[in-house]
Amino acid sequence: PRFAIEAAIQMIYQQDIGRTDKHPRVAGGEWWVQKRQLGEDIGFHHDKDEALASLKMTMKFPEISTVTYLTERGAPTLIFNQTTPDGNGEIPVVPETGVLSYPKQNRHLLFRGNLQHGVPGELTPNYGA
């Protein structure tokens, strides 16, 4: 690992995938960090290979998606049981189930990489502000 965050990702990979060697269906990973204002949305989306989606109109999803909270504050993540075969429609059309997870320091979410998810800012708790 070149950076502390890459060492953390390697540790998370070992924890989530359950192995230290290469998984046959995992070729790599993508990571990014966001600092958001309290109450700010992250629109609902599917994690995907953005280049394939843009250049070849193909939806290639990661095997797994994760969210790791570093603090106790902010809007929750909402994960629906919806996926999309091509980006033009949801299956099921209306979500039947979902999971809502509020931030907690070091909380780590793991879910199927093809599920729609986002951060609805309007569900941010009032922290006594």
Side-chain angles (χ1 to χ4, degrees):
R2 298 171 297 167
F3 311 104
I5 193 155
E6 289 182 354
I9 291 165
Q10 193 171 51
M11 210 169 61
I12 289 169
Y13 172 84
Q14 291 170 4
Q15 172 187 313
D16 290 347
I17 303 295
R19 57 196 300 164
T20 56
D21 59 332
K22 188 173 177 178
H23 189 282
R25 292 189 315 264
V26 176
E30 174 185 273
W31 62 269
W32 40 277
V33 176
Q34 294 190 15
K35 181 178 180 181
R36 298 283 182 148
Q37 298 296 316
L38 279 180
E40 189 175 351
D41 287 327
I42 296 177
F44 284 90
H45 63 281
H46 300 274
D47 292 342
K48 62 190 171 298
D49 184 317
E50 295 290 347
L52 280 176
S54 296
L55 298 174
K56 298 192 177 189
M57 306 302 284
T58 299
M59 298 295 277
K60 176 118 173 91
F61 304 108
E63 190 73 19
I64 61 168
S65 289
T66 65
V67 173
T68 304
Y69 297 106
L70 302 179
T71 70
E72 309 242 345
R73 297 171 64 93
T77 301
L78 179 55
I79 305 163
F80 289 124
N81 71 320
Q82 283 182 310
T83 190
T84 181
D86 58 9
N88 293 316
E90 305 295 338
I91 299 173
V93 174
V94 176
E96 298 164 351
T97 61
V99 172
L100 185 65
S101 178
Y102 280 86
K104 182 177 180 185
Q105 188 173 5
N106 296 325
R107 176 170 283 162
H108 180 69
L109 309 177
L110 169 73
F111 52 97
R112 279 191 356 240
N114 65 344
L115 294 180
Q116 180 169 225
H117 59 286
V119 177
E122 65 271 14
L123 297 179
T124 303
N126 180 350
Y127 294 101

